[in-house]
Structure formats: structure tokens, C-alpha cells
């Protein structure tokens, strides 16, 4: 009960990449970079185990960014000529590569870090991939056509590639494959109309546990500014959760603590495992065990205890390393307290 995990990313050590950045530059190249990525992956697996988390992940130490890390292994994408594009409905600008021809995987994308992680932990291993709709929102298109139809076509083309890599990750021994779809919270109607279908295409044929993470973004200024415009009640999840409840995806990861998401929206996920965000990634203040346990308690009003998985609101990539480490401990400590409260209640 209450198996703990993080959404996915963790800060990169200063010797691996620039710190406190979403698109950090690597500190090394070639073999030295590969070794540094491996060292950072092992370090964070150890840290997650030491904190007492039940499900661990590679902390995304081997990718510069959660979307572009995948795209680097896709043929048909021009990384030489990046363009500035407003992403997440123009919430912020990013330099993105361009799709210029038919898409095909150059080979395995995450074999190195997935196999490394698998070889070094006996805990359940989760691995994250970007979802098709979020990829489409983080790349410029010069091939599929900029209309709505082109977007859908491109999303399904990426879904096929994601599926190839997901099946290979499953063969590597990954227990949970999670697709990250922050775009579902931005284009809610599209998410319900075709985003969930594209996601299911990406997860097709998987027999391991499948998950989707939908959040309000990393704790960067553009996101916290955006959140302040969303009003008293954040009802974005209301449109997409019913479609997800009907889907074949097993688990849904959502933002909860310090958000304005009405907790009763979790009811819309009946039949699914719910990864409840009990750790805020937009604040350096470390949650107390009581605060974490209280958040779990609120979620328990709408999610059966055997379906509740305490998690972080989003990735911890842009945070300080020490803060992230203490948040892992807070996640474990608060979950322990929530369990104690249940048994003594
Ligand atoms: Zn997130």
C-alpha cells in the first residue's frame, strides 16, 4: 500500500551539467559524458533507495530535456536549425528542433540508462518517456502541415516510435513505463478527442504497468506565473480524466499539494491507480511529514487506499540538489506517517 515514487526527473550534479536549468549544457562530451551520466544515474538510484522510496527511476540524468532527449534519436528531425517557438499554448518560448521529413528511430533511445538502472536496483523500476501530444507541442513542424490534422498525424507518428522504444524498455526489465503529458492540461479538448488515443497507441502491446503524468509544469517562473492566472479552482483535469478512465493506461499521476485542483476530480479516475502529488516542486520549502500525510488523507476521500501512490507534483530537475534530496526523504516520511494513521484510526 502507498508505494512511493517521484514523477521522474532529478537535478543533475554540477559536474554533469549546468544546475538549476531546464535545458542545461553538459559539462563533458563523448565517453567522459557517458561515464558522468552513468555515475549520476547510480548516485540518484542510491539516494532514492536510501530515502526509502518503493519505486525508483533513473532521474533522467542522461537526457538534456525530457522531450528533446527522445527526439535526438529520431531521424527526420533537424537539430542543427532550432527555431524559437511558444510552447504550452505560448506560455513560454523554447528553442526547438524541426521535423523535416518522415520520422524513424535511429536505434534504441534509452537502452544505456535503463539497463544500467535495472542492473543496479532490485526495486521496481519506473522509466519515463514524453507523451505524443507533448512532443508535438515541443517541436516545430515543416513536414506534416501546421493545421489540426497535421498535428494529429504527427502525434500518431511519434506514438509509433514511442511504442517501439517502450516495448524495448519493457524487455530491458522496466516495471512501469510512464508517459509525460503536461500538454493534456493545456489543450484539454484535444487531449480528450485524440491525445488519449495517441497515448494508447504509444502504450500498445505493453504488459508492464503503464502510466501517464499530467501536471502544471516544472517549478519555473513561467509556470508559476501561469498558475496564478488559473483562478481559484483548477478544473483542467475534468475534461481529460473521463477519457483516461476509459483507456487502457493503468496509472495517472496528478498535481495535488499546494495546487488549486479540487481533490474530488480524482473520483473521475475510478478504476485507475492514482499517483497523488504530495511534494511541491515549485517551492524549496521541505514538506513536513504531517503535511504529506494530510495530503494523502485528503486524497483518500476520493481514491481507495490500494490505488493511491504518493508521488511528487512534477519532476525535480530544476531544483537544488540538496532540496531534491530532502524532498525525497519528506515523501517517504510523510507516507510512513499516513500508513500509521490508517492503522491506528
Ligand atoms: Zn510534470
Amino acid at each position: 500500500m502507498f508505494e512511493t515514487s517521484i514523477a521522474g526527473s532529478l537535478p543533475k550534479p554540477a559536474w554533469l551539467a549546468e544546475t538549476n536549468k531546464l535545458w542545461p549544457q553538459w559539462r563533458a562530451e563523448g565517453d567522459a559524458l557517458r561515464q558522468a551520466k552513468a555515475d549520476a544515474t547510480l548516485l540518484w538510484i542510491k539516494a532514492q533507495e536510501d530515502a526509502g522510496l518503493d519505486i525508483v527511476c533513473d532521474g533522467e540524468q542522461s537526457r538534456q530535456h525530457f522531450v528533446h532527449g527522445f527526439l535526438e534519436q529520431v531521424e527526420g528531425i533537424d537539430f542543427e536549425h532550432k527555431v524559437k517557438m511558444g510552447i504550452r499554448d505560448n506560455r513560454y518560448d523554447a528553442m526547438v528542433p524541426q521535423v523535416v521529413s518522415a520520422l524513424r528511430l535511429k536505434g534504441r533511445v534509452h537502452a544505456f540508462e535503463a539497463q544500467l538502472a535495472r542492473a543496479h536496483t532490485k526495486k521496481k523500476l519506473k522509466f519515463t518517456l514524453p507523451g505524443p501530444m507533448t512532443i508535438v507541442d515541443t517541436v516545430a513542424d515543416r513536414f506534416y502541415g501546421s493545421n489540426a490534422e497535421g498535428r494529429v498525424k504527427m502525434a500518431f507518428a511519434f506514438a509509433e516510435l514511442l511504442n517501439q522504444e517502450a516495448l524495448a524498455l519493457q524487455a530491458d526489465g522496466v516495471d512501469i513505463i510512464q508517459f509525460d503529458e503536461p500538454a493534456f492540461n493545456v489543450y484539454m479538448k484535444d487531449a480528450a478527442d485524440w491525445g488519449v488515443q495517441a497515448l494508447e497507441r504509444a502504450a500498445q502491446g505493453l504488459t508492464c504497468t503503464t502510466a501517464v503524468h499530467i501536471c502544471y509544469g516544472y517549478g519555473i517562473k513561467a509556470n508559476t506565473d501561469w498558475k496564478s492566472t488559473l483562478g481559484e479552482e483548477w478544473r483542467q483535469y475534468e475534461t481529460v480524466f473521463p477519457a483516461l478512465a476509459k483507456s487502457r493506461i493503468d496509472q495517472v499521476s496528478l498535481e495535488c499539494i499546494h495546487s488549486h485542483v479540487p481533490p474530488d476530480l480524482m473520483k473521475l479516475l475510478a478504476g485507475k491507480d492514482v499517483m497523488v502529488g504530495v511534494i511541491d516542486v515549485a517551492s524549496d520549502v521541505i514538506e513536513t511529514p504531517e503535511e504529506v500525510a494530510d495530503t494523502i488523507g485528503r486524497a483518500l476521500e476520493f481514491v481507495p487506499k490500494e490505488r493511491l501512490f504518493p508521488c511528487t507534483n512534477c519532476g525535480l530537475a530544476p531544483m537544488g540538489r540538496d532540496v531534491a534530496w530532502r524532498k525525497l526523504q519528506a515523501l517517504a516520511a510523510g507516507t510512513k506517517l499516513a500508513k500509521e494513521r490508517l492503522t491506528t484510526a
Side-chain angles (χ1 to χ4, degrees):
M1 188 182 59
F2 293 169
E3 286 189 350
T4 45
S5 69
I6 56 165
S9 67
L10 284 161
K12 295 184 178 78
W15 41 261
L16 172 62
E18 292 176 293
T19 54
N20 303 99
K21 280 197 173 169
L22 257 196
W23 267 273
Q25 292 302 310
W26 299 113
R27 295 283 189 208
E29 46 186 80
D31 283 347
L33 176 59
R34 194 176 160 87
Q35 188 58 56
K37 288 175 174 177
D39 293 348
T41 303
L42 294 187
L43 178 155
W44 276 122
I45 286 174
K46 176 83 166 82
Q48 290 170 83
E49 289 190 347
D50 287 353
L53 302 192
D54 302 294
I55 300 161
V56 301
C57 55
D58 77 329
E60 303 180 8
Q61 299 298 295
S62 297
R63 51 188 109 163
Q64 190 194 26
H65 177 264
F66 83 100
V67 176
H68 292 169
F70 185 83
L71 298 185
E72 279 165 23
Q73 286 304 317
V74 179
E75 204 176 281
I77 295 183
D78 179 0
F79 262 91
E80 298 298 308
H81 304 94
K82 286 191 189 164
V83 293
K84 188 151 104 172
M85 188 174 96
I87 69 172
R88 313 291 175 265
D89 201 19
N90 288 318
R91 196 188 316 155
Y92 56 98
D93 285 334
M95 293 302 292
V96 299
Q98 310 187 62
V99 174
V100 291
S101 61
L103 301 166
R104 214 169 66 101
L105 280 189
K106 293 176 191 166
R108 281 299 308 278
V109 183
H110 297 298
F112 173 69
E113 59 269 35
Q115 291 167 9
L116 177 83
R118 182 70 288 170
H120 289 272
T121 184
K122 295 193 165 48
K123 297 254 184 184
K124 278 190 195 166
L125 179 64
K126 172 159 93 173
F127 205 89
T128 57
L129 291 169
M133 191 179 203
T134 296
I135 294 183
V136 167
D137 196 47
T138 320
V139 69
D141 172 46
R142 300 284 172 275
F143 182 71
Y144 284 94
S146 49
N147 54 7
E149 208 179 311
R151 260 167 76 86
V152 178
K153 232 172 123 184
M154 184 160 73
F156 277 85
F158 277 119
E160 264 182 54
L161 308 189
L162 287 164
N163 186 240
Q164 276 178 41
E165 178 63 17
L167 288 166
L169 287 165
Q170 174 177 272
D172 289 333
V174 167
D175 301 292
I176 303 157
I177 294 179
Q178 175 184 296
F179 296 93
D180 296 335
E181 284 285 26
F184 277 13
N185 254 355
V186 184
Y187 313 101
M188 286 80 77
K189 192 176 173 300
D190 284 352
D193 287 350
W194 56 264
V196 174
Q197 262 178 289
L199 180 68
E200 285 193 293
R201 175 66 189 90
Q204 195 174 303
L206 291 174
T207 52
C208 66
T209 302
T210 54
V212 60
H213 164 74
I214 312 166
C215 62
Y216 289 82
Y218 282 119
I220 58 171
K221 187 169 182 300
N223 291 337
T224 43
D225 287 351
W226 172 60
K227 287 179 189 184
S228 68
T229 69
L230 295 179
E232 273 310 293
E233 277 209 328
W234 301 354
R235 305 198 72 91
Q236 282 76 5
Y237 288 141
E238 198 166 25
T239 313
V240 72
F241 279 1
L244 280 170
K246 283 191 232 137
S247 77
R248 292 190 305 273
I249 303 298
D250 302 312
Q251 306 186 323
V252 180
S253 158
L254 51 87
E255 193 159 326
C256 184
I257 192 170
H258 300 162
S259 78
H260 293 260
V261 174
D264 64 337
L265 293 185
M266 291 187 235
K267 274 195 298 196
L268 300 171
L269 293 172
K272 300 295 172 194
D273 290 344
V274 184
M275 281 184 267
V276 180
V278 298
I279 296 290
D280 188 354
V281 302
S283 159
D284 283 352
V285 178
I286 310 299
E287 289 76 3
T288 63
E290 287 72 23
E291 214 181 339
V292 170
D294 289 350
T295 310
I296 293 173
R298 269 196 302 281
L300 277 173
E301 291 173 38
F302 308 103
V303 181
K305 58 179 187 295
E306 62 280 3
R307 290 214 173 267
L308 199 157
F309 290 67
C311 191
T312 57
N313 270 352
C314 184
L316 290 84
M319 308 196 91
R321 192 169 150 188
D322 183 56
V323 172
W325 162 237
R326 288 190 290 145
K327 292 220 171 214
L328 298 183
Q329 292 175 310
L331 172 57
T335 301
K336 186 166 169 267
L337 178 61
K339 280 186 196 167
E340 285 163 13
R341 283 181 179 175
L342 261 194
T343 49
T344 53

